[in-house]
Amino acid sequence: MMTRTMTVSTIMRVVLGILFLAHGIAKLQMGLGNVDAWFSSMGISGFLAYLVAALELVGGVLLIVGLFTRYVSALFTVMLIGAIITMKFSMGLLGTDGMAGYELDIAFILVSIYLVVAERTRLSLDHIFFKKSNT
């Protein structure tokens, strides 16, 4: 029987995975060349656009199935902190002029940090493959 905490952890993991997968798909639909140009226009290496898109796509899928959850969540945390520092901090918490602020990024960071430290849930590949080590 899964506890309420494990049920909530599973929901948080799957939903965060879906959200990141959706962001990765959106970057593909925009065209990675366009995302590269947008990053470059913000003073960030365009190469990072490809890394971010790959992390969002692959990491999103990995979270959905619950594989390498802690590592993926830690990478998402680092990526989001980088996004806040390099692109969103100047927009403020709630954003300005139609540009998003960093409030959603903070929420995603909190969920990601929680998933780094949370116990594995039964509804994950981590639980199946890494049963012995639960810390």
Side-chain angles (χ1 to χ4, degrees):
M1 183 172 100
M2 281 184 49
T3 66
R4 285 185 210 164
T5 303
M6 287 196 170
T7 301
V8 171
S9 294
T10 300
I11 292 168
M12 290 171 66
R13 187 193 80 235
V14 171
V15 170
L16 189 66
I18 291 168
L19 293 171
F20 273 112
L21 179 60
H23 278 265
I25 291 169
K27 284 179 179 58
L28 288 180
Q29 290 173 334
M30 283 191 281
L32 291 178
N34 292 329
V35 179
D36 178 329
W38 177 55
F39 274 41
S40 296
S41 75
M42 300 292 282
I44 300 164
S45 170
F47 175 72
L48 285 177
Y50 300 92
L51 292 178
V52 167
L55 177 57
E56 288 175 343
L57 289 165
V58 175
V61 170
L62 289 174
L63 282 187
I64 291 167
V65 299
L67 185 60
F68 305 120
T69 300
R70 291 181 176 152
Y71 302 109
V72 171
S73 297
L75 288 172
F76 280 149
T77 301
V78 170
M79 178 187 73
L80 290 163
I81 290 170
I84 290 171
I85 291 169
T86 60
M87 299 178 89
K88 295 194 173 185
F89 194 74
S90 63
M91 299 296 171
L93 180 67
L94 300 178
T96 58
D97 298 325
M99 294 292 294
Y102 53 89
E103 75 281 0
L104 187 58
D105 298 87
I106 290 174
F108 284 178
I109 288 169
L110 292 174
V111 173
S112 293
I113 290 171
Y114 172 80
L115 293 173
V116 169
V117 300
E119 290 186 34
R120 292 182 181 98
T121 64
R122 289 188 194 116
L123 296 175
S124 71
L125 293 179
D126 285 335
H127 176 74
I128 294 168
F129 294 133
F130 309 111
K131 285 184 207 177
K132 294 182 182 183
S133 172
N134 201 20
T135 56

